[in-house]
């Protein structure tokens, strides 16, 4: 049996969990998230704990057991505390500006790159080089951060570009003359 899948998830106060058919709805102080269960999975809420069970022992069900439990745990944490990713822009003249839901990023191209921030995500730009991405959905926060980083990934020679805060890059040595 899955070691992760059989662990019960404690439900903090202020979080409401409803199971309607194959959809689990989690509502908390920061928002509401839904998760559609795969066939063969069931969720039960007892005594302030969420328990995920599977109907059989097939390979696909065993694989999904731990995944469903981890996703529900991430959703509970998301609606209580939320998730945040911090990013840094480094390079001469590199900067970001936020206008409503549009973010304009200047990173060395001949034109500024515009990125539309999806619903459910809050973005803050501090000092034009620090970007803070917040939201309740862990997957969405990570995907938005990855999309922003992919606009100009950090260069291995000059260390310029968009990187996660605290990301350690190994600097490669350039060509040397004789």
């Amino acid at each position: 049996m899955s070691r992760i899948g059989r662990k019960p998830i404690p439900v903090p106060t202020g979080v409401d969990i409803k199971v309607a058919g194959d959809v689990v709805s989690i509502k908390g102080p920061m928002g509401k998230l839904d998760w559609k269960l795969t066939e063969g999975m069931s969720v039960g809420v007892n005594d302030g704990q969420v328990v995920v069970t599977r109907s059989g022992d097939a390979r696909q069900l065993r694989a999904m057991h731990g995944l469903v439990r981890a996703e529900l745990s991430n959703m509970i944490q998301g609606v209580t505390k939320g998730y945040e990713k911090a990013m840094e822009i480094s390079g001469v003249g590199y900067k970001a500006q936020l206008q409503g839901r549009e973010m304009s990023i200047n990173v060395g191209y001949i034109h500024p790159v515009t990125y539309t921030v999806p619903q459910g995500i809050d973005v803050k730009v501090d000092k034009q080089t620090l970007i803070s991405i917040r939201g309740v959905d862990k997957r969405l926060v990570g995907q938005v951060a990855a999309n922003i980083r992919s606009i100009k990934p950090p260069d291995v020679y000059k260390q310029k570009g968009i990187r996660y805060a605290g990301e350690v890059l190994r600097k490669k040595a350039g060509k040397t003359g004789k």
Side-chain angles (χ1 to χ4, degrees):
M1 188 165 210
S2 171
R3 291 185 203 144
I4 293 174
R6 66 180 163 195
K7 285 176 60 178
I9 307 166
V11 179
T13 57
V15 175
D16 184 35
I17 299 174
K18 292 182 181 167
V19 182
D22 61 348
V23 176
V24 179
S25 298
I26 300 176
K27 187 177 176 186
M30 293 192 70
K32 181 178 184 266
L33 292 172
D34 295 327
W35 177 263
K36 187 175 184 325
L37 294 172
T38 56
E39 197 171 318
M41 290 290 158
S42 61
V43 174
V45 182
N46 307 347
D47 301 330
Q49 292 186 334
V50 177
V51 179
V52 179
T53 56
R54 62 179 190 242
S55 62
D57 220 22
R59 184 179 177 97
Q60 181 67 22
L61 289 176
R62 289 193 322 253
M64 295 302 290
H65 193 191
L67 173 77
V68 170
R69 190 257 180 219
E71 285 291 336
L72 292 177
S73 176
N74 289 341
M75 289 168 61
I76 290 172
Q77 183 179 342
V79 296
T80 55
K81 300 175 190 166
Y83 289 98
E84 182 175 3
K85 287 259 188 189
M87 306 189 81
E88 302 169 346
I89 300 175
S90 59
V92 177
Y94 287 15
K95 62 183 179 177
Q97 295 173 319
L98 192 64
Q99 296 124 3
R101 302 298 295 169
E102 296 285 326
M103 189 162 59
S104 175
I105 304 170
N106 293 326
V107 283
Y109 299 124
I110 59 172
H111 56 83
V113 178
T114 57
Y115 180 77
T116 305
V117 179
Q119 292 296 324
I121 296 292
D122 295 327
V123 175
K124 262 179 42 181
V125 178
D126 297 326
K127 297 189 229 174
Q128 296 182 339
T129 58
L130 300 174
I131 301 171
S132 174
I133 304 164
R134 297 191 57 120
V136 294
D137 190 357
K138 184 176 185 177
R139 286 182 173 203
L140 190 58
V141 169
Q143 187 61 54
V144 168
N147 291 346
I148 291 173
R149 185 181 189 271
S150 70
I151 292 170
K152 184 78 170 188
D155 181 28
V156 293
Y157 297 105
K158 295 182 180 179
Q159 308 284 306
K160 297 184 341 182
I162 303 172
R163 68 175 116 191
Y164 300 114
E167 182 180 4
V168 178
L169 301 172
R170 291 192 1 192
K171 188 171 183 176
K172 291 177 81 174
K175 294 181 182 179
T176 57
K178 286 192 176 190

